[in-house]
Amino acid sequence: MEIVSTENAPKALGPYSQAVKAGGFVWCSGQIPIDPAVNAVTAEGIEAQTRQSITNLKHVLEKAGAGLDKVVKTTVFIKDMNDFAALNAVYAEMFGDTKPARSCVQVARLPKDVKVEIEAVAAL
C-alpha cells in the first residue's frame, strides 16, 4: 500500500489521504471543487464545480501514475439531481472516449456546501 499526495489537488479536509495505491489500483478519495492554488471553492455553477472536481482527480491520478483514461469506476455525489444533465455534459467532455462505470446519487449536503463531489478508482 502506498499513500498518494500532490500539491496540485486540495489537501484532505480530514484524516484521510488524497489516494491510496493498492492491488494494482489507485483509490481516490472524493474531490470537491476546491481550487488548490487558493485553497478555496471559487467555482460557482455545477459545470465549473464539476470541471474543478475532475481536474483535481486528474492531478491525483497523475501523481499516482494513472490518468482519467485509466479510471474504471467513479461515484458522483450531487446536491441537486436537477443538475444531472449539466454535470453529464462536463463529465463526458472531460472523460472523452473513456466511459468508466459510475454511480450518481443525490445527497443532502456536501463539504463546504459544494454542488458535487467525485471519487474514482483507476487501474495502474
Side-chain angles (χ1 to χ4, degrees):
M1 184 173 88
E2 179 184 337
I3 302 300
V4 177
S5 180
T6 178
E7 295 295 318
N8 294 325
K11 291 178 177 54
L13 298 176
Y16 59 89
S17 302
Q18 289 173 327
V20 175
K21 289 168 62 171
F25 292 90
V26 58
W27 306 81
C28 296
S29 295
Q31 287 292 322
I32 62 173
I34 293 175
D35 179 344
V38 295
N39 197 36
V41 177
T42 58
E44 293 185 19
I46 188 64
E47 294 92 345
Q49 288 199 5
T50 301
R51 188 173 310 283
Q52 183 66 59
S53 296
I54 295 173
T55 298
N56 292 342
L57 270 177
K58 178 179 175 245
H59 289 303
V60 173
L61 289 164
E62 288 172 350
K63 179 68 175 187
L68 292 176
D69 62 329
K70 300 292 184 191
V71 173
V72 295
K73 171 73 166 75
T74 64
T75 304
V76 178
F77 305 95
I78 189 170
K79 188 174 181 179
D80 185 350
M81 201 54 82
N82 290 317
D83 289 335
F84 187 72
L87 175 139
N88 273 342
V90 174
Y91 186 98
E93 171 195 326
M94 294 193 74
F95 276 96
D97 291 336
T98 304
K99 294 186 177 38
R102 183 181 88 175
S103 301
C104 183
V105 295
Q106 179 173 311
V107 295
R109 191 169 181 204
L110 290 164
K112 299 203 176 275
D113 290 319
V114 298
K115 297 175 183 299
V116 64
E117 179 174 358
I118 305 172
E119 64 182 31
V121 178
L124 290 169

